[in-house]
Amino acid sequence: DNDGRDLGTAWKETDFNDSAWSEGAALLALESGATAEPIRTDLSRVGADGNDIVTDYFRRRFTVTELPSPKRLQLRHVVDDGIIVYINGVEAHRFGMPEGPVDWLTDANGHENAWEGPFVVDVENLVEGENVIAVELHQAGATSSDAVFGLELSVVTSVPVEGGGDELSIRIDGANVVIEWDGSATLQSADSVLGPWTDIAGATSGYSVEPTGAMKLYRLTQ
């Protein structure tokens, strides 16, 4: 919905009728400068009432064939300026937005389009079958000259260890990567799939490391 209207709160619910909304591929944007991905759908910065738009709304239905355990999703996005993400009507993530309640005229913090994330979020209300992701995109002010939105959604799965009962999962916590597992296996790391693999001395589940930019691989061994 790129009309600049106040949609209240019903728009983010699973049973909301969005059949009259326009459709288009990401990036959805109005941007004269460089963008992190190609613009595939144009947005307007002027609403149906002739005023500049502060908030745009996006919805997408997606199907989960098998629920992950734990119920966890991973997000990456390209936005200008801020977003709030809802899964099945419940807030799951916000970026560049103030804390607390917001409305259709709430300004975001200034942010130029760039890939941000991944962000790992727990989604207890995820269901098998059809789910709905809904996103409100806010501008830093009514006079903002550009608007950019794109989002990638994936499932975070645990990997069973052959011959054991341990499961390895990786999530993002702020600037760090956190590695978690069940059981007594030893965590190893390597710079290549071919190794050499090295035990991480003293590492226990919840092991946290700050990424350096270079590729790093992790595995559990019995």
Side-chain angles (χ1 to χ4, degrees):
D1 187 285
N2 184 219
D3 287 339
R5 300 176 294 171
D6 179 6
L7 295 188
T9 60
W11 68 276
K12 61 184 174 61
E13 303 299 333
T14 57
D15 59 355
F16 179 79
N17 182 1
D18 57 15
S19 60
W21 286 26
S22 300
E23 295 184 0
L27 292 181
L28 304 100
L30 174 66
E31 171 61 77
S32 59
T35 54
E37 295 285 337
I39 298 174
R40 299 180 176 90
T41 303
D42 292 329
L43 292 178
S44 172
R45 287 293 298 119
V46 179
D49 60 1
N51 294 319
D52 290 333
I53 297 171
V54 175
T55 302
D56 292 298
Y57 303 91
F58 306 90
R59 288 170 54 88
R60 175 64 186 260
R61 301 177 189 278
F62 64 96
T63 300
V64 175
T65 56
E66 183 177 349
L67 287 174
S69 179
K71 294 181 180 180
R72 194 170 279 171
L73 296 175
Q74 179 173 281
L75 308 172
R76 290 202 309 151
H77 50 64
V78 178
V79 301
D80 184 337
D81 289 294
I83 58 171
I84 301 179
V85 179
Y86 305 88
I87 304 292
N88 296 333
V90 177
E91 182 177 335
H93 172 72
R94 67 172 61 192
F95 178 86
M97 294 294 296
E99 296 296 325
V102 302
D103 61 27
W104 69 303
L105 296 178
T106 300
D107 291 341
N109 301 322
H111 180 268
E112 292 301 317
N113 76 88
W115 277 112
E116 299 287 354
F119 303 96
V120 176
V121 295
D122 291 318
V123 186
E124 292 302 322
N125 63 336
L126 196 69
V127 299
E128 286 191 359
E130 186 176 86
N131 296 261
V132 173
I133 181 170
V135 181
E136 52 185 281
L137 171 73
H138 291 248
Q139 297 307 308
T143 59
S144 175
S145 62
D146 47 17
V148 180
F149 173 70
L151 185 144
E152 177 185 86
L153 178 69
S154 56
V155 172
V156 178
T157 59
S158 296
V159 181
V161 178
E162 184 177 357
D166 298 345
E167 290 189 344
L168 176 70
S169 65
I170 298 177
R171 62 182 175 85
I172 304 298
D173 183 10
N176 283 17
V177 172
V178 178
I179 304 170
E180 299 171 317
W181 65 94
D182 299 322
S184 57
T186 299
L187 184 67
Q188 294 184 326
S189 68
D191 296 329
S192 166
V193 174
L194 299 178
W197 290 88
T198 304
D199 290 356
I200 300 177
T204 59
S205 181
Y207 177 77
S208 180
V209 59
E210 184 176 357
T212 62
M215 181 175 70
K216 181 70 71 174
L217 305 174
Y218 294 92
R219 73 180 185 183
L220 294 177
T221 182
Q222 298 286 355

